[in-house]
Amino acid sequence: MKFIEGGVCAAKGYKAAGLHVGVKTRNKDKKDLALIVSDAECSTAAVYTKNVVKAAPLLVTKENLKDGKAKVVFANSGNANACAPHGEEYAHRMCSAVAEALGIQVDDIIVASTGVIGQTLPIETIEGGVDELISNLSYDGSNDAADAIMTTDLAKKELAVDFKVGGKVCKIGGIAKGSGMIHPNMGTMLAFLTTDCAISSEMLQEALLSATNVSFNRVSVDGDSSTNDMATLMANGLAENDEIIMKCEDYYIFAEALNNLCIELAKMIAADGEGATHLIICRVAGSKNELEAETISKSVISSTLTKAAIFGTDANWGRVLCAMGYSGVDFNPEKVSISFESTAGRITVCENGCGLPFDEELAKIILTEHDITIDIDLNDGNAECTCWGCDITYDYIKINGDYRT
Amino acid sequence: MKFIEGGVCAAKGYKAAGLHVGVKTRNKDKKDLALIVSDAECSTAAVYTKNVVKAAPLLVTKENLKDGKAKVVFANSGNANACAPHGEEYAHRMCSAVAEALGIQVDDIIVASTGVIGQTLPIETIEGGVDELISNLSYDGSNDAADAIMTTDLAKKELAVDFKVGGKVCKIGGIAKGSGMIHPNMGTMLAFLTTDCAISSEMLQEALLSATNVSFNRVSVDGDSSTNDMATLMANGLAENDEIIMKCEDYYIFAEALNNLCIELAKMIAADGEGATHLIICRVAGSKNELEAETISKSVISSTLTKAAIFGTDANWGRVLCAMGYSGVDFNPEKVSISFESTAGRITVCENGCGLPFDEELAKIILTEHDITIDIDLNDGNAECTCWGCDITYDYIKINGDYRT
């Protein structure tokens, strides 16, 4: 398995496009419609936000995917179409507009929105842009589509992998936008993935669910879980491998490639958290089981005080231990060791639950790097887990103190 | 029942003092030792942090209060004595120093610390200040003691109430420091309460626990729950009422006074959250039961995005509804209404789960006030609950990006 270029168009038979039509009113350079079209019918899987308040397009997509089949992703940015008048009606109209223009079934469409909650979707504006959007479709269009789903994201997120299944080269590619899945920013986390591997929708759903659990679900930007989060995966089978219909060796090869792709996309999302200046990687080892390690790691990356300390390049490990302590996991604080690590070095600051004297200048140098690993050992077992977050900064406050107006 | 002056010395027979001895090294004007002494033996109750990592003084206090009796509170600020070498040994030495100087039993002492985690407590410095601290004791000393337990607090928190029990005037007073109890800032939430009401330690514990549940436990500053949080209540009986030993009418009078005192202290703590410019009051009504209302309210006041919106005087109710949605409570979003209210007016922004057109300028004027009420109605029952929080600001990041160094 290796990482390759091409994003959501890397796999055979996928075109994509992006366009500005005016859903985003502030800036005409910013694309706000994205389209991904497969040349062939696809087995399709999806995971959705666990928020009780679900945006209209999620409900419509769920309905459309009941048969496990789709051909198209159609998404807008700039408006979440959540808690807004005519929500489901307008999500259906988005599907109809594209279905008619492409001559396909409406239920072959994955529809998504991201942006501000509670404002009426400018549906005519969107409908008016569909023809031009379709005319822009290209096998090199991943970049434009990735662009068009961004809101406060600073960096485009697209990536692909290739691997061999039964002698055939298969590819999985995707585009994503910030910020998380369990803890996503209101800006919504979206990931649209495509593959040319032949695989049944049941196996696809299973692979996507487990990939999400070890990637997007281990990211937190600010602990706020959105109404619009969604990750979808379409498989058009054009790689011509024998279709994966059970958990055979091929399935595990596919699943591993998908996991790796999703983990890298998840890290991109964490690193590009609103206003972030650091990627925080929290590795918890020596745990009795993976779930406890994950719970502790998530508590640390979600701790506002830890995030503020990393922003201040302050090796304030007391906040790390404190966040571990209120995670809900019962562990022995007296066995805990904590280190900070980056490309500039590694420093152990706590052992057996007690502070160690350490070189403050070296700590500062280590914490000045962009990627910071907080390395925790519970010394109480063999399980481990890594989650990803980012620091909280002045810019986060600035962006979110005036996002809507 | 009415609010009165005098803080922790308002009730009969309590002296207090504060002193700078050098635990806080940065600023010699800042007191760092606090002492509260009762003239008579007290029934005593306490509640502690639920963090798995508990600071040494909490463990020692718990041990000392096994008999339900105490006479003295001895606290330092500037160092948490948590996860630090010789933690329990030094907490015991704090008790011994005061017990010897006052000629009382070591187990009559409530000991507490607040400040940075993981650094060795300068025990000799503290011991060296005990005699002077005792010589400063006065029946007007509440102010000095309130001063001495502050860390990043900007405002002193002291308050008292009086009320009649069986024909006798009783008082309850207290001092506190930020920031929360379930969600306290690393700076630790401490509350030391005193009363001259005669009441058994069993009834006192019951009253303190239920008061804490409707006050300190409904405050959040940043979702980080400290290792050092503690609230204690001493009752010396000098008001000479018939001792309250069961849940009679007198008990409920006492409990109501205590609830009101703790709620006001809790609001002071929320309003003085690090860097805060707004007190956020989140009232959730129309709920099936109080617990669900409380869970939803806590989720809203803890939402970083909602806090950032209030800082930006942005009526971004979508973030409120979103935070409600990930609270874990199953409610019907289509019945929800949301209003913002302050002394400048009231504006309803969401009804039946849908955004209403509203006057953005009026919203801005309402949100410019210091105390902002977010008023939520689930329209699905008769229970309600109010929790308190604060906005997140540039200063929060500044304070916590460089708190330790």
Side-chain angles (χ1 to χ4, degrees):
Chain A
M1 193 222 78
K2 67 175 191 298
F3 288 98
I4 58 171
E5 302 284 304
V8 79
C9 297
K12 250 182 233 163
Y14 291 96
K15 291 182 210 152
L19 184 70
H20 171 85
V21 293
V23 187
K24 284 178 182 159
T25 50
R26 284 209 243 186
N27 191 332
K28 295 202 194 315
D29 295 337
K30 288 201 172 175
K31 296 185 174 66
D32 46 24
L33 286 189
L35 189 65
I36 304 165
V37 178
S38 169
D39 292 345
E41 183 89 40
C42 299
S43 312
T44 306
V47 293
Y48 307 94
T49 184
K50 292 190 177 108
N51 198 310
V52 169
V53 183
K54 286 179 177 62
L58 272 71
L59 303 175
V60 172
T61 295
K62 218 168 183 171
E63 187 66 29
N64 288 353
L65 292 187
K66 267 191 179 157
D67 62 353
K69 300 282 171 194
K71 261 190 106 167
V72 167
V73 174
F74 183 32
N76 75 275
S77 56
N79 185 310
N81 192 17
C83 316
H86 312 289
E88 289 193 50
E89 181 194 337
Y90 288 178
H92 279 299
R93 277 176 64 176
M94 282 179 68
C95 294
S96 302
V98 167
E100 277 169 33
L102 289 173
I104 61 168
Q105 302 291 319
V106 282
D107 74 349
D108 269 345
I109 296 181
I110 291 165
V111 61
S113 297
T114 173
V116 181
I117 287 187
Q119 296 183 358
T120 307
L121 191 73
I123 184 67
E124 284 86 8
T125 308
I126 292 173
E127 287 169 334
V130 165
D131 286 342
E132 190 181 346
L133 184 65
I134 289 173
S135 71
N136 286 354
L137 279 169
S138 125
Y139 292 113
D140 299 321
S142 175
N143 202 47
D144 287 343
D147 224 356
I149 58 171
M150 289 166 70
T151 52
T152 54
D153 303 62
L154 296 178
K156 251 172 284 192
K157 294 157 192 81
E158 48 173 347
L159 203 64
V161 292
D162 70 9
F163 53 97
K164 271 196 180 166
V165 168
K168 306 283 183 181
V169 174
C170 292
K171 291 170 185 170
I172 313 177
I175 58 174
K177 70 167 299 287
S179 287
M181 191 74 192
I182 282 221
H183 275 166
N185 186 303
M186 182 62 79
T188 303
M189 184 255 152
L190 293 176
F192 302 123
L193 309 169
T194 55
T195 181
D196 46 17
C197 184
I199 176 168
S200 71
S201 49
E202 290 75 20
M203 288 297 99
L204 206 60
Q205 184 66 33
E206 178 126 6
L208 179 61
L209 197 61
S210 70
T212 300
N213 283 338
V214 300
S215 59
F216 306 125
N217 280 355
R218 289 183 176 167
V219 165
S220 177
V221 167
D222 56 13
D224 277 10
S225 172
S226 158
T227 53
N228 289 51
D229 299 328
M230 172 160 58
T232 66
L233 171 53
M234 299 197 294
N236 64 14
L238 296 181
E240 297 182 331
N241 58 304
D242 291 339
E243 189 181 13
I244 299 170
I245 52 167
M246 52 185 286
K247 288 194 164 180
C248 52
E249 196 193 333
D250 288 352
Y251 171 82
Y252 289 105
I253 293 170
F254 178 84
E256 197 203 336
L258 181 64
N259 284 359
N260 285 316
L261 178 75
C262 291
I263 286 172
E264 288 309 309
L265 284 171
K267 285 167 75 173
M268 287 182 191
I269 287 170
D272 192 28
E274 287 178 330
T277 61
H278 290 282
L279 170 67
I280 304 177
I281 302 149
C282 181
R283 186 165 57 201
V284 175
S287 174
K288 286 199 263 318
N289 58 62
E290 190 181 6
L291 180 63
E292 291 194 352
E294 183 175 352
T295 305
I296 290 174
S297 181
K298 273 186 193 163
S299 187
V300 171
I301 57 159
S302 302
S303 154
T304 313
L305 283 167
T306 299
K307 290 153 69 77
I310 296 296
F311 170 60
T313 62
D314 177 8
N316 197 328
W317 59 270
R319 294 181 180 171
V320 174
L321 190 55
C322 182
M324 296 169 63
Y326 62 71
S327 66
V329 175
D330 191 25
F331 64 91
N332 184 352
E334 292 175 9
K335 285 185 171 182
V336 170
S337 68
I338 302 173
S339 303
F340 291 101
E341 188 175 328
S342 74
T343 49
R346 180 186 172 91
I347 199 161
T348 299
V349 289
C350 170
E351 230 168 42
N352 303 319
C354 246
L356 294 179
F358 63 89
D359 180 344
E360 293 273 0
E361 293 213 3
L362 175 59
K364 205 99 190 162
I365 291 167
I366 290 169
L367 295 179
T368 302
E369 296 297 313
H370 185 271
D371 293 5
I372 305 296
T373 299
I374 303 175
D375 206 351
I376 296 167
D377 199 328
L378 303 178
N379 292 300
D380 200 24
N382 294 312
E384 62 170 83
C385 182
T386 298
C387 295
W388 305 276
C390 61
D391 56 342
I392 186 165
T393 68
Y394 295 114
D395 277 351
Y396 177 87
I397 306 292
K398 185 167 178 188
I399 293 164
N400 288 298
D402 185 25
Y403 171 58
R404 194 181 52 95
T405 50
Chain B
M1 191 224 83
K2 67 175 193 295
F3 288 99
I4 58 171
E5 302 283 303
V8 80
C9 297
K12 251 181 233 163
Y14 291 96
K15 291 181 208 153
L19 184 71
H20 172 84
V21 293
V23 186
K24 284 177 182 159
T25 49
R26 283 209 243 184
N27 190 331
K28 294 200 196 317
D29 295 337
K30 289 203 172 174
K31 296 186 174 64
D32 47 24
L33 286 189
L35 189 65
I36 304 164
V37 178
S38 168
D39 292 345
E41 183 87 39
C42 298
S43 310
T44 306
V47 293
Y48 306 94
T49 184
K50 292 190 176 109
N51 198 308
V52 169
V53 183
K54 287 179 177 59
L58 271 70
L59 304 175
V60 172
T61 295
K62 217 168 185 174
E63 186 68 29
N64 288 354
L65 292 187
K66 267 193 180 155
D67 62 354
K69 300 283 174 193
K71 263 191 104 169
V72 167
V73 174
F74 184 31
N76 74 274
S77 56
N79 184 310
N81 192 18
C83 315
H86 313 290
E88 290 193 49
E89 181 194 337
Y90 288 177
H92 279 298
R93 275 176 65 176
M94 282 179 68
C95 295
S96 302
V98 166
E100 277 169 32
L102 289 173
I104 61 168
Q105 302 292 320
V106 283
D107 74 349
D108 269 345
I109 297 180
I110 291 164
V111 62
S113 297
T114 174
V116 182
I117 287 186
Q119 294 183 359
T120 307
L121 190 73
I123 184 66
E124 285 86 7
T125 307
I126 292 173
E127 287 169 332
V130 165
D131 286 342
E132 191 182 346
L133 183 67
I134 289 173
S135 71
N136 286 356
L137 279 169
S138 127
Y139 291 113
D140 301 318
S142 176
N143 203 49
D144 287 344
D147 223 358
I149 60 171
M150 288 165 70
T151 53
T152 54
D153 303 62
L154 296 178
K156 252 174 281 194
K157 294 156 194 83
E158 46 173 351
L159 203 64
V161 292
D162 70 10
F163 52 98
K164 270 195 179 166
V165 168
K168 305 284 185 181
V169 174
C170 292
K171 292 169 183 168
I172 313 176
I175 58 174
K177 71 167 299 290
S179 291
M181 190 75 194
I182 283 219
H183 276 167
N185 187 302
M186 183 60 81
T188 302
M189 184 256 155
L190 293 177
F192 302 123
L193 309 168
T194 56
T195 181
D196 45 18
C197 184
I199 177 169
S200 71
S201 47
E202 288 76 19
M203 288 298 99
L204 206 61
Q205 183 66 35
E206 180 125 5
L208 180 62
L209 198 61
S210 69
T212 300
N213 283 337
V214 299
S215 59
F216 306 124
N217 280 355
R218 289 183 177 168
V219 166
S220 176
V221 168
D222 56 11
D224 277 12
S225 172
S226 157
T227 53
N228 288 51
D229 300 327
M230 170 159 60
T232 67
L233 172 53
M234 300 197 293
N236 63 15
L238 294 181
E240 296 183 334
N241 60 302
D242 292 339
E243 188 181 13
I244 299 170
I245 54 170
M246 53 186 287
K247 287 193 165 180
C248 52
E249 197 193 332
D250 289 354
Y251 171 82
Y252 289 105
I253 295 171
F254 178 84
E256 198 202 336
L258 182 64
N259 283 0
N260 285 316
L261 179 76
C262 289
I263 285 171
E264 288 308 309
L265 285 171
K267 284 167 73 174
M268 288 183 191
I269 286 169
D272 192 28
E274 286 177 334
T277 60
H278 291 281
L279 170 67
I280 304 176
I281 302 150
C282 181
R283 187 166 57 202
V284 176
S287 173
K288 286 199 263 319
N289 58 61
E290 191 181 4
L291 180 62
E292 290 193 352
E294 182 175 353
T295 304
I296 289 174
S297 182
K298 272 186 194 161
S299 187
V300 172
I301 57 159
S302 303
S303 152
T304 313
L305 283 169
T306 299
K307 291 153 68 76
I310 297 295
F311 170 60
T313 63
D314 177 8
N316 197 328
W317 59 270
R319 294 181 181 170
V320 174
L321 190 55
C322 181
M324 295 169 63
Y326 63 71
S327 66
V329 175
D330 190 24
F331 63 92
N332 183 350
E334 291 175 8
K335 287 186 170 183
V336 171
S337 68
I338 303 173
S339 304
F340 291 101
E341 187 176 331
S342 74
T343 50
R346 179 186 172 90
I347 199 161
T348 300
V349 289
C350 169
E351 232 167 42
N352 303 321
C354 245
L356 294 179
F358 63 90
D359 179 344
E360 294 273 0
E361 292 212 4
L362 175 59
K364 204 101 189 160
I365 290 166
I366 290 169
L367 294 178
T368 302
E369 296 297 312
H370 184 270
D371 293 6
I372 305 295
T373 298
I374 303 174
D375 207 351
I376 296 166
D377 199 329
L378 303 178
N379 292 300
D380 201 25
N382 294 309
E384 61 170 83
C385 181
T386 299
C387 295
W388 304 275
C390 60
D391 56 339
I392 187 165
T393 68
Y394 296 114
D395 277 351
Y396 176 88
I397 306 294
K398 185 167 181 189
I399 293 164
N400 288 299
D402 186 26
Y403 171 59
R404 193 180 53 95
T405 49

